[in-house]
Structure formats: structure tokens, C-alpha cells
Amino acid sequence: MSDESVIATHRLTGAEPWLDLPAALAVPPGAGAICDDAGARKIGRGAAEGVFTTGPVLVAHASLTARRLGLSPPLRSSDLLDVLELWAFVRPATFCAPSPAGLALALGLSEPKGAEAQAAALRDAAATLLKELADPAYPRREDAFTLAETLGRAGWAWAWRVSGALQAQPLRERQYRGSGLDVWARLAEWEDEAPRGEAGSAPVDSESARIRLEKLLQQSGLDEARPTQSDYAAEAAYAFSPRDEEGRPRMLLAEAGTGTGKTLGYLAPASLWAERNQGAAWVSTYTRALQRQIDREIAALWPDPAERRRKAVVRKGRENYLCLLNLQDMVQAAQLGNGDLIGLALTARWALHSRDGDMTGGDFPGWLPGLFAVGPSAQASAANLVDRRGECVHAACSHYRTCFVEKTIRASRRADLVVANHALVMTQAAFDGARTARGLKQDNETAALKRIVFDEGHHLFDAADSAFSACLSGQEAAELRRWIRGPEGRGRRGRGLEQRLGDLCADNEPARKALQDAIRAAAALPGEGVSGRIAPPSGEVNPVGPIEQFLMAALEQIRARTSEAASSASSEFGTECAVRPATEPLLETARGAAQAIAAVEAPLLALARHLEDILDDEASELDGASRARIEGALRGLDRRARMTLPGWRSMLAALEEGGSEPDPDFVDWLSVETAFGRIHDVALRRHWIDPTVPLEAAVVLPSHGVLVTSATLSDPVAEASGGDLFGMARMRTGAARLIEPARTLKVESPFDYAANSRVIVVQDVAKDDPRQTAAAMRELFLAASGGGLGLFTAIRRLKAVYERLGPDLAKAQIPLYAQHVDPLEVGALVDIFRAEQDSCLLGTDAVRDGVDVPGRSLRLLAFDRVPWPRPDLLHKARREKFGGLSDKGRGYDDALARAKVAQAFGRLIRRADDRGVFVMLDAACPTRLFAALPPGAEVQRMGLVEAVEMTREFLSTTAE
């Protein structure tokens, strides 16, 4: 029956046609169920496949459903109605885990367990959302209806139901009948404000911090501060006291055990300092998950949402925010038939309601672009819509006044608290330091970076390692070429320097010449598809230009110096080799590559100087927009011409100048990256052996106060052997070299780990046999009745275990999800895992670092083996430098592995009433690696049968 027939029939009966829903299909692993007017019932896989492919049918995440049925991701169809798309339309920019259970919980319903309950919940969720559209109180009904009409013309499966629900209430007459896609024309504009000025130096004393903490707890509905939390807040105030001399910041290393309440503990003195000194305190973290968590905690400071938006800003790099110009370009192309107009329309609706336009970890539903089979270049995804290419035209953009990035930057200048991430803080500090060294003013984005809290401080070393490294690769060089010359393939979007700066240089002959020289010189850089020319599957190489020739020589050196297995395209981690002693072809091609890079660098530097002259010489004539454009262009030129390109030349020059002796401060090496059985990229890399040297110079020393905090900073083994409890933390944060010694603080967790946790090392599982690992995890997950997280140190082993584990858990109706297997990003997988109390999840380090799952959803954590550091060239150099001579660096390796074990254990118990079992499936795991666990967490060694029985008994007692 056609949609029109359905509507006509229901008009005769007086019913609401938009509530006439087809059957709902839920396909948890190994099971299937449908729910229609006759009720919910189980069906076999073949029947589920028939329902899914013939429709009409309701699903939650069409691609994931297809994968579970062994099918390819489906195309959009009028018979395939994904309820997640309906959610994105009805409740834009609001959180929902992408599963039937996630939808139910987001709507305030109970968690559906089992296939039948999930199918019924899916149908209920769709009906609830449609009724919400029909509610008289639904906001901006006319805007929603306009967009629904556009979606209907594009063939959206939900369109006529959504339009019908919206028309259940009278619609006001619309003066203009636009498409509803032009969100850029309806967003509020930012307004400039007078500079805030330099922050003051009023101190924050310990007692004031305690009082502020008490107030925050009361506003959060809590009675009083725990003694340890109050002590933590009081000590944290030290980082917000005024320094006495330049280059001698107040630094505190503070370990706060899980459950201390450290977030509110440091927010108390930070907010107090911001109020007293009219400045911004920056809180930096490592993961997006913790940025969201801190943002939620800030609600205790300013319960009123409007005030909170003014006082607190979540700050990320430009590459995280929706670019309205990119959105407009893609919408226009999709309207001509080249793109996913439905996905773009739903993204436009999100943009109109988004808090800040953050597409990576903000309120954008990251699962939305992957629901149906849409080509990567046509998806309405962050990869296509953010400004990750560095091609922003700043004030020349027609959407400059509504730009999400510009709004966030301006908001952070007026905020009391800025919640950022380590990568942004460090790259911006390095950029500001380089500008200051040249006598230029600091970038306004982080000029106020004087008081910093580094949460997740145990990641500071790794973040610095990434921020202060250099990499000359085919992909990086091709990206620079695209930034200069613009996209050179047919149908590709983007803007080169000519499009961004041509009109600014039109009347300045030297600037115009420098621009043209840079564009010509960039032709020697690799273009797109570089890996297909230097490492094609056919073996017929065809390098174009001196840099591709150098990279091909690098690949040949890697193949010559490593084993055949390691250098093959099927290697999971890729491979690497020392750059010295360099082969003759590598040295010869390095000279040509260095010349090509210098030929690009020189005109870019000249262009930057000419633009600076324009700012000076035409200061009285330039309007604000032109000045903003030039300043934005200079930031991009500085990063590339004064940081990236000199770094590449330095690495290449060191090949000749250094002979066979390496630089004592750096590690240089050649690497190959592989993906899907093919060589993806080849690179020359340089990292600091001790990245805290630039970290200290760029971030720590210029600041006035720094608090580094984490649940895992201290090393009890070092203290037990007569060393410094915080020695490793001092070394890995740059505190060891400070003139003014850093203070330290250790606050124990208040949880009763002896009663609420069990730590088991299983002694009879062969860790190198995926069948035994899968069998062990299966029995443990079944004993726990789900709620299990399996952590792996290699993706290959994760996938092998998943294939064996999934069917067995499915028989017990325990859903299993896996990173690198399911078509969902890590954040969405964790969201589902958190929402479904009895599901299980397999993942790697990214999952461990991003999990914050209190309660029953995480009650068992199993490592497949000891997370020893990977013994690559960089790690070996650091082990030699930091590990000492007596134990050949064993203590350094131990400390790193011990920290990972402690961090993972800390994810298991998040609240006082949580109970959990921690299992290591590696009999060779030394007991010393558990020394960093909190008091009461005692290690027991036993066989798998005993471990399964202990898990079942301990967690079943919890359930009762």
C-alpha cells in the first residue's frame, strides 16, 4: 500500500497515519526478533535477513544490523527506517547511545534485555518520538516542517510520518519557504568585546578552597566533602598562588585515588582564582570523554545553563568544529545529485541546535554518517565538514560572523574556565613560543595560558612526544602540497593559497611574486596517491619528484634492514628501522628532497614577511576583516614555513652531517605504515628522547602555576627501594629540572577494595593461543553474566578472539561489541557498553583510556596479556636514558606496564558501591606489576576453573 493510500485510509477512520509503524527488527549477536501489531517474537537469522532486505522495517543502526546478518551496509531505502535518524531529527544535539537500549534509556524507558524486548522498545521509541513532534509544545515547529519537506523530496524514509506529526498542530504561515538547509543564515553572530586584560595575582588560600568546595558539593546535592577531597582542594590551591620569579612556576604533582573527587577538588581553587583575578584557568585533559565529564562537573559551579555557557568553554583545535563553508559547499553539491543530502540535512538541523558545533566528542552524533552505505567523500561526517585541512579563509568567509571556531575562541577569552586538551595546549604553546622568540605577540587563542590543570597527567609525556615531533611522510607532504596548491583532482573540494590570499596580494607585487613562486615550488611535493607510486601492489614503482624518490629509497632501506615478515604489507604495526647508517641511495635522494623543501620554504617565508609588511604599512587603511584574514594567513604560514618545513630540512641535513653517530637528544628512524594489507605510507621521523625538554620550555616555565593530577602518578616500587615516590612523575612531566621544586601530594582512594574487588592472575591459559584466550574470556564473561571488558595489546589478537567469542556469548543473549570490528567509533561503542548493563566489549588502549562506566555495566575487566611497552627504536632509546644501568632498563619497562595496569584497574571501580573482578590472562605476569594497585587489592593466582568460579560467586553476591 502506498503512503498516500495509508493516509487516505486513516483519514476515513480518524486515526493518525504517521503512527502506523511497520515491524521493528532487533538483531543482537546470534539472535533476532521482530515486533509488530501482533507483539514481539523471536525469529531465525534467515527470517531476520528477509525482513531486513524486503521491509518495510524499523531498525537501530542499519549498518551494524546488516553486519550482524552477514550483509553489506545497506543503501538508503524508503523501506528501511532507522530510528536513530528519527532521533537525530526530533532531538538534535542530544545524547543517545546508538542501539535499541540506548534509545530506550535516552527516552526514560527501562533497559530492554533480550531480542524481543529490544524490538518492542524500538517500536515504542519511534512512536514516542513521533508523538513528541505532535506535541503542541514542540519548539520551532515551522523550521522542522520546512526541513522535513526538503527531506521528503530527497526520499527520506521518515519524511511523510514526520511531516504528518508536525501537522498534527497548526503551523504558522511561513513568509519564506526555503529548504531549511541554510543553517548558516540562521545562526547567531558573535560580537567583539573589549580585551579583558592581564589576569591579576591575587592568591587562593587553602581555607578558601575548602569553603568553595563545600559550596560546590552543596549545589551538587551532596552533604559534605570527604576529608581526602577537602585536603586535595586545599593543597591544589598552591598551583594558584602567585609566583615570585619569572621561570619559577608553582607546580604540584597530585595523585588522587579513584573516588577522591579530584575534579571538583581542583575546580574549587581554579574557579576561585578566576573570579578573584579576572582571568581564565585552563583545565587540560587527554581524552574527549574526560572533557565531557569535566564539563558536566562544572554544572555545580554555575547551575544556570546560560551563565555556564558564559563562564565555561570547552576548547579544542579548529579541526574539531563544523566549518559552515564546507557544509554549504557539500549541500550545494548534494542538491545537484553529488552527495548525501539526507545526511547533510540532518547535520544542518544538528548545527542549528548545537552548543558549539563540535563534531568530535561534542554533541554531534558521531554514529550518524555511518548508518547507511554512503561513500567516504559524500558522507556528512567530521572528515569532510571540519576545517582539518588548514584552508580557512577567516574573515573572507561569508560565514565568518557565525563561525563556530571564532565563537569558541572569543568565548574562551572571556571565560573563567577553559576545558581544553593536551594536544591543543602544547601545539599552541609551541606556536606562541616561536612567535615570541621572533618578537611578535602571542596568539590570542591561548595568550592567557598562565594557570593550567593537567588532568590525566600520566599522559603528559605521550602528549608532549606527539606535539613536539617531526614527520616527513608521503601523506604529510601531499597535505602540504594541497594546502598550497589546492585540490588538483576532479570534483575535489578545497581552497589553495591563491584562492585564500590572491586578492590580498593583488596590489603588492613582491607578495604576489612570492605567492606564485610558492605555488610553482609546491609542484615538486608528492601529490595524492603517493603510496600507489612508491609501493604499488604490482611492484611497478613510479616515483614522481625528489621527495617520492627519497621515500622509495627509505622503503628499500627498511626492506633491506628488517626481516621479510616485519617489512611486509601484512605486518600489523607496520615496521621501522634505524636511519643510520644510511644507504647511498637514501643519502643521494635526501639531498634532492632537502632542496625541494627549501624551494618551497623560501617563498612561503617571503610571503609571510610581505603580509606582515602589509599589516604595518597599511595599518590605517585595513579594515577589521582584512586584518583578520592576514593574521589568520600568517598563523598558517608560520606553522608551515617556520616550524614544519625547517623540521623536515633539519632531519634530512642530519643524515649527511651526522654520519653514523645519532644526535644525543633525538631519535631518527624510518617507518612503514600498513592498512588493509597494503603499504599506506613511508616516513622519516624524529622524536625527542625526552619530550619534556620542549614541554618544560614551551608550557611549564612560561606559566605561573601548574597542577598535574591523576589517579596514577606515584610509583610505590621506587619508594620501597629507597627512591622517590614521584620520581617517574617528575621525569615524565618536566618537573625534575625546575629551579623551584614541584610539590607532591598523594591522596588514597576512599573505596574498600578488599571487599569490593578481586584481582586474579590465571596461570593455565596459553596467552599465544587465541583459542585459549577466547575460551577463557568466554567463561569469565558468562560467569559475570556480561558487563565484561576485554583489553588487548594487539588488534590481530582482538579480532581472532572476537570471531570465536561472539557466537558463544550470543547463545547466552550477551551482546558483544568490538573496536576495529563493529562499524562504530570508539566513543559510540563505549556509550552502548555503558547503556547496556549486560553487554561485553573488546578493545585496545583507546578503549581503556576512554572508559568511564560506573555501576553494573563494567564488573569484569580482563587483559589478554601484560601490557608491556612495545620495544620499538624510540622506546629502546628512552629505556637506555631513563632506565638506569643496573637492571638493563627493566625498572623503566616495569614502571610503564605497572602504570597501565593501575589505570585499567581504576576504570573498574568508579563508585563506592561498585564491585568488580580484574583478571590477567598471562601466567608470566610478575607480581611487582600490581604494586601500584590501591591498598586492599590483593593478587591471587589460580587456574581458569577457579577464576571462573570466584568470579561467579563474587559477582552473584553483588547482584543479590
Side-chain angles (χ1 to χ4, degrees):
M1 184 179 292
S2 68
D3 294 343
E4 292 77 8
S5 299
V6 171
I7 294 173
T9 299
H10 280 268
R11 279 176 180 164
L12 290 174
T13 62
E16 297 161 325
W18 42 270
L19 271 179
D20 182 26
L21 295 169
L25 173 67
V27 189
I34 62 170
C35 179
D36 53 22
D37 294 337
R41 57 196 180 277
K42 283 187 177 180
I43 57 175
R45 177 169 172 172
E49 181 178 336
V51 171
F52 183 78
T53 53
T54 59
V57 63
L58 304 177
V59 296
H61 207 295
S63 289
L64 181 58
T65 304
R67 188 192 177 283
R68 287 179 174 166
L69 292 171
L71 304 172
S72 299
L75 298 170
R76 292 186 186 279
S77 163
S78 60
D79 287 334
L80 195 54
L81 292 86
D82 200 315
V83 184
L84 289 170
E85 281 197 328
L86 180 62
W87 172 276
F89 184 93
V90 179
R91 294 194 181 184
T94 56
F95 173 79
C96 175
S99 71
L103 282 160
L105 293 170
L107 290 167
L109 308 174
S110 59
E111 180 191 350
K113 297 184 178 181
E116 300 104 306
Q118 290 186 18
L122 197 53
R123 210 156 185 254
D124 289 343
T128 300
L129 290 169
L130 288 170
K131 289 176 182 176
E132 192 170 315
L133 288 176
D135 191 293
Y138 191 76
R140 304 175 75 165
R141 178 180 304 279
E142 287 72 26
D143 287 346
F145 183 74
T146 298
L147 189 63
E149 288 185 311
T150 298
L151 284 162
R153 291 190 291 273
W156 189 39
W158 286 104
W160 72 267
R161 289 182 172 87
V162 165
S163 296
L166 289 167
Q167 292 180 90
Q169 301 297 328
L171 291 167
R172 289 178 298 181
E173 184 65 29
R174 290 169 292 161
Q175 185 175 1
Y176 301 104
R177 288 185 173 272
S179 65
L181 295 168
D182 57 342
V183 59
W184 46 84
R186 289 175 285 148
L187 291 170
E189 296 186 350
W190 52 261
E191 296 182 1
D192 272 324
E193 297 184 54
R196 195 174 191 180
E198 185 77 18
S201 299
V204 176
D205 60 276
S206 298
E207 188 57 31
S208 295
R210 291 183 193 270
I211 294 172
R212 171 55 62 90
L213 176 62
E214 290 284 353
K215 181 181 178 182
L216 295 183
L217 291 168
Q218 290 171 7
Q219 291 179 175
S220 298
L222 302 174
D223 294 335
E224 59 183 13
R226 295 181 288 272
T228 52
Q229 186 182 27
S230 183
D231 292 343
Y232 176 91
E235 292 295 325
Y238 171 73
F240 298 92
S241 58
R243 66 180 184 181
D244 294 331
E245 295 181 32
E246 184 181 10
R248 302 183 71 166
R250 306 291 195 185
M251 190 169 188
L252 174 67
L253 306 178
E255 177 176 293
T258 305
T260 300
K262 64 178 169 61
T263 304
L264 286 181
Y266 62 66
L267 287 179
S271 61
L272 202 56
W273 178 87
E275 288 178 13
R276 291 180 176 179
N277 293 286
Q278 296 299 298
W282 283 60
V283 178
S284 177
T285 183
Y286 190 62
T287 65
R288 296 167 184 162
L290 190 56
Q291 272 187 287
R292 292 198 302 267
Q293 181 182 331
I294 293 170
D295 187 41
R296 289 195 297 268
E297 297 265 12
I298 288 174
L301 279 165
W302 301 289
D304 178 57
E307 183 182 18
R308 187 162 64 250
R309 281 193 293 271
R310 293 194 306 273
K311 296 283 191 178
V313 174
V314 177
R315 185 75 179 87
K316 299 180 182 180
R318 303 182 70 90
E319 68 279 2
N320 292 278
Y321 298 93
L322 172 70
C323 170
L324 294 171
L325 190 56
N326 283 345
L327 176 63
Q328 183 182 22
D329 287 348
M330 288 196 71
V331 164
Q332 290 172 345
Q335 287 176 317
L336 296 175
N338 184 23
D340 179 18
L341 185 59
I342 293 173
L344 289 164
L346 293 172
T347 300
R349 182 151 173 79
W350 161 78
L352 194 62
H353 294 81
S354 175
R355 167 182 168 176
D356 55 10
D358 180 2
M359 296 192 75
T360 59
D363 52 22
F364 179 74
W367 38 259
L368 184 60
L371 297 182
F372 293 95
V374 178
S377 63
Q379 283 185 353
S381 63
N384 293 319
L385 290 173
V386 302
D387 178 35
R388 69 173 62 252
R389 306 172 183 84
E391 56 189 25
C392 178
V393 295
H394 300 281
C397 177
S398 55
H399 311 311
Y400 183 63
R401 302 284 309 180
T402 55
C403 174
F404 286 115
V405 175
E406 296 297 330
K407 286 179 181 177
T408 305
I409 291 172
R410 282 162 176 75
S412 67
R413 294 172 186 166
R414 308 289 303 177
D416 284 1
L417 291 175
V418 180
V419 183
N421 54 67
H422 298 348
L424 173 67
V425 168
M426 290 182 197
T427 54
Q428 191 61 40
F431 177 66
D432 283 346
R435 288 177 65 85
T436 301
R438 293 171 41 235
L440 300 175
K441 70 176 183 177
Q442 288 187 340
D443 193 312
N444 283 331
E445 290 191 32
T446 53
L449 234 171
K450 303 302 181 187
R451 305 285 175 172
I452 315 171
V453 177
F454 285 112
D455 205 337
E456 288 188 302
H458 56 276
H459 284 300
L460 208 51
F461 187 91
D462 294 330
D465 182 39
S466 177
F468 299 110
S469 62
C471 171
L472 170 56
S473 73
Q475 299 295 330
E476 291 288 331
E479 178 67 14
L480 178 62
R481 172 178 174 141
R482 186 214 52 76
W483 182 82
I484 296 173
R485 295 176 62 89
E488 296 171 287
R490 177 179 295 179
R492 296 187 179 274
R493 297 179 301 106
R495 295 167 287 276
L497 280 182
E498 178 71 47
Q499 288 75 30
R500 301 201 298 275
L501 299 177
D503 60 325
L504 291 175
C505 301
D507 297 329
N508 187 303
E509 179 58 31
R512 191 160 56 84
K513 182 178 184 304
L515 174 61
Q516 295 303 319
D517 289 347
I519 293 171
R520 280 192 293 271
L525 298 173
E528 293 185 14
V530 55
S531 62
R533 293 188 292 276
I534 64 174
S538 65
E540 297 180 4
V541 296
N542 181 33
V544 177
I547 294 178
E548 291 191 15
Q549 291 172 350
F550 168 76
L551 294 174
M552 193 176 73
L555 179 58
E556 290 305 314
Q557 177 167 322
I558 293 171
R559 286 170 169 164
R561 303 277 171 84
T562 58
S563 67
E564 182 178 349
S567 60
S568 70
S570 60
S571 174
E572 179 176 350
F573 297 106
T575 190
E576 60 180 26
C577 78
V579 73
R580 296 180 182 82
T583 62
E584 192 59 36
L586 190 72
L587 290 174
E588 290 178 1
T589 55
R591 299 185 191 104
Q595 292 171 358
I597 290 169
V600 175
E601 182 183 342
L604 288 181
L605 285 171
L607 178 60
R609 288 192 294 269
H610 293 314
L611 290 177
E612 289 167 353
D613 290 342
I614 291 174
L615 282 180
D616 290 340
D617 298 342
E618 302 178 20
S620 61
E621 303 172 18
L622 286 174
D623 56 35
S626 298
R627 177 173 292 277
R629 283 183 63 193
I630 294 174
E631 289 176 346
L634 284 172
R635 284 195 292 269
L637 287 167
D638 278 353
R639 290 183 190 278
R640 291 160 178 84
R642 293 192 169 102
M643 297 175 73
T644 299
L645 288 169
W648 290 356
R649 280 196 302 102
S650 177
M651 286 192 291
L652 293 168
L655 287 177
E656 282 192 283
E657 298 169 1
S660 61
E661 291 299 319
D663 190 304
D665 293 325
F666 298 99
V667 177
D668 295 346
W669 76 95
L670 304 172
S671 71
V672 169
E673 294 179 11
T674 59
F676 305 108
R678 295 183 59 179
I679 290 177
H680 176 66
D681 206 0
V682 181
L684 169 63
R685 299 179 181 276
R686 164 170 284 191
H687 283 236
W688 285 84
I689 295 179
D690 184 0
T692 67
V693 173
L695 169 66
E696 179 193 31
V699 181
V700 177
L701 289 180
S703 66
H704 292 213
V706 178
L707 168 60
V708 180
T709 187
S710 168
T712 53
L713 283 181
S714 66
D715 189 356
V717 173
E719 184 183 41
S721 59
D724 181 2
L725 179 65
F726 283 88
M728 180 66 78
R730 294 181 198 276
M731 182 272 291
R732 289 176 68 85
T733 60
R737 291 184 299 273
L738 292 180
I739 300 173
E740 182 91 16
R743 288 189 183 182
T744 60
L745 172 68
K746 182 177 173 67
V747 179
E748 297 288 358
S749 170
F751 297 156
D752 185 352
Y753 289 100
N756 292 348
S757 69
R758 295 290 183 267
V759 182
I760 302 171
V761 176
V762 176
Q763 295 182 299
D764 56 357
V765 172
K767 65 182 179 182
D768 293 322
D769 185 348
R771 292 172 298 178
Q772 293 194 37
T773 302
M777 286 197 176
R778 177 193 67 214
E779 295 305 317
L780 288 164
F781 288 171
L782 290 173
S785 299
L789 174 62
L791 292 177
F792 292 79
T793 55
I795 298 171
R796 173 178 47 80
R797 289 197 300 274
L798 182 157
K799 291 181 176 179
V801 168
Y802 176 86
E803 292 301 323
R804 293 172 171 84
L805 189 58
D808 292 332
L809 290 185
K811 292 176 184 176
Q813 296 191 12
I814 296 177
L816 177 66
Y817 302 93
Q819 182 190 10
H820 303 294
V821 175
D822 289 317
L824 289 163
E825 61 178 2
V826 172
L829 286 171
V830 173
D831 288 339
I832 294 174
F833 181 61
R834 184 187 296 111
E836 300 178 2
Q837 287 194 356
D838 297 329
S839 66
C840 293
L841 174 63
L842 306 181
T844 58
D845 278 359
V847 170
R848 185 199 68 222
D849 293 334
V851 168
D852 180 26
V853 183
R856 278 183 50 81
S857 293
L858 176 55
R859 49 190 181 270
L860 170 71
L861 192 151
F863 263 108
D864 77 319
R865 61 179 60 196
V866 175
W868 294 115
R870 187 165 161 244
D872 54 25
L873 293 170
L874 182 58
H875 174 72
K876 289 177 181 177
R878 287 172 176 163
R879 182 169 58 192
E880 183 178 349
K881 180 178 179 65
F882 302 126
L885 301 176
S886 60
D887 60 1
K888 297 182 180 180
R890 191 189 78 174
Y892 182 68
D893 286 352
D894 280 1
L896 296 182
R898 190 160 49 244
K900 286 189 175 182
V901 169
Q903 290 152 21
F905 180 84
R907 302 295 178 184
L908 187 60
I909 308 293
R910 307 297 290 171
R911 301 185 310 204
D913 58 349
D914 284 352
R915 298 183 74 181
V917 179
F918 182 98
V919 181
M920 178 67 72
L921 297 173
D922 188 345
C925 179
T927 301
R928 64 182 182 271
L929 295 189
F930 296 99
L933 299 188
E938 299 297 331
V939 180
Q940 302 179 67
R941 294 179 179 269
M942 60 187 70
L944 178 61
V945 173
E946 295 173 90
V948 169
E949 186 58 30
M950 175 176 284
T951 298
R952 182 180 293 110
E953 289 184 5
F954 181 70
L955 294 178
S956 64
T957 303
T958 305
E960 294 171 3

